[in-house]
Amino acid sequence: NAGVMQNPRHLVRRRGQEARLRCSPMKGHSHVYWYRQLPEEGLKFMVYLQKENIIDESGMPKERFSAEFPKEGPSILRIQQVVRGDSAAYFCASSPLPGQLNTEAFFGQGTRLTVV
Amino acid sequence: KQEVTQIPAALSVPEGENLVLNCSFTDSAIYNLQWFRQDPGKGLTSLLLIQSSQREQTSGRLNASLDKSSGRSTLYIAASQPGDSATYLCAVRAGGGNKLTFGTGTQLKVEL
């Protein structure tokens, strides 16, 4: 059972470009969470998605950031018109079915975004 | 709003020492607490998960305790080794949606 897969592992974008980060959850997991780790800071929750549904986006910046988890394929975190302050490590986690609130979170290796 | 604090922020110990990392959280209404390890430039490795109804969990040289009423957890590492050097993060799961609130971590260095 492969773990949570994120790609790319490293991404360099120039200011103003778009960044697309992908996350494939563990097999059998239908819930995906995105977290951001800014330099010298802790991980902060961004968004929680089920297939085709955004459940909680309370941690997402209001502008330029969006996330989706389509019926088929990986979850995508999209950052438009990137700025230097978006440089961070973005982590994805997945968990199983709803109702299992006491489950363990499994994290991917992260995507390290550098905006130049 | 849940806040998670970890003390100390950094710790350096000689090999072989037993050590304790501390985590405190402000809202005791949690589902569970999870300890992670993060190596520089790497992802998060789950170490131990303690459910809200449990008092402790053990895995090898690691023991984590939870006192939900006082909002505290400790991670005990026995007979530390240089390979234990990493940043240790605690995170609590509370409220709807299963999201985690993380502490800022304790950076541990175990020296030969």
Side-chain angles (χ1 to χ4, degrees):
Chain A
N1 187 7
V4 179
M5 305 299 292
Q6 289 188 249
N7 67 82
R9 292 289 304 278
H10 300 274
L11 183 61
V12 179
R13 284 288 179 265
R14 296 187 183 278
R15 282 178 294 170
Q17 291 184 319
E18 178 179 286
R20 282 184 173 240
L21 289 62
R22 287 176 288 278
C23 170
S24 296
M26 288 182 70
K27 187 176 180 180
H29 287 193
S30 57
H31 295 239
V32 164
Y33 308 79
W34 286 93
Y35 293 82
R36 178 167 65 173
Q37 187 175 36
L38 292 165
E40 307 303 323
E41 293 188 21
L43 279 86
K44 303 290 186 189
F45 167 79
M46 298 182 75
V47 63
Y48 162 38
L49 309 106
Q50 293 176 5
K51 289 277 187 183
E52 300 183 285
N53 262 325
I54 296 175
I55 306 302
D56 181 351
E57 56 182 348
S58 59
M60 286 277 272
K62 297 290 184 238
E63 298 176 347
R64 301 186 298 107
F65 285 72
S66 63
E68 63 176 8
F69 189 14
K71 187 177 180 181
E72 301 291 337
S75 175
I76 306 286
L77 179 67
R78 183 181 177 206
I79 312 172
Q80 295 178 290
Q81 298 175 323
V82 296
V83 301
R84 289 221 171 104
D86 297 332
S87 295
Y90 292 82
F91 291 95
C92 170
S94 73
S95 67
L97 295 171
Q100 296 183 13
L101 296 175
N102 58 350
T103 56
E104 187 173 359
F106 296 90
F107 279 78
Q109 291 296 299
T111 293
R112 278 151 186 84
L113 173 65
T114 302
V115 179
V116 297
Chain B
K1 180 186 172 187
Q2 178 76 267
E3 292 184 5
V4 181
T5 304
Q6 291 186 246
I7 295 173
L11 181 63
S12 183
V13 300
E15 183 180 13
E17 271 206 7
N18 302 324
L19 56 100
V20 175
L21 308 181
N22 297 291
C23 173
S24 61
F25 46 96
T26 54
D27 185 349
S28 61
I30 64 170
Y31 294 121
N32 57 41
L33 182 146
Q34 201 165 349
W35 282 93
F36 294 89
R37 168 187 174 138
Q38 185 177 28
D39 293 281
K42 304 290 186 183
L44 279 71
T45 301
S46 179
L47 298 174
L48 289 163
L49 172 71
I50 312 179
Q51 303 297 349
S52 61
S53 58
Q54 296 176 320
R55 297 284 292 182
E56 65 180 303
Q57 281 285 347
T58 298
S59 175
R61 293 183 294 109
L62 305 179
N63 177 276
S65 68
L66 174 63
D67 184 342
K68 200 175 96 162
S69 61
S70 68
R72 292 180 184 179
S73 175
T74 61
L75 179 66
Y76 175 82
I77 303 176
S80 58
Q81 303 170 357
D84 295 330
S85 298
T87 296
Y88 290 81
L89 300 165
C90 75
V92 298
R93 179 176 286 103
N98 233 0
K99 64 187 179 187
L100 293 169
T101 301
F102 281 85
T104 50
T106 293
Q107 190 172 357
L108 172 66
K109 184 175 182 181
V110 181
E111 297 172 320
L112 289 167

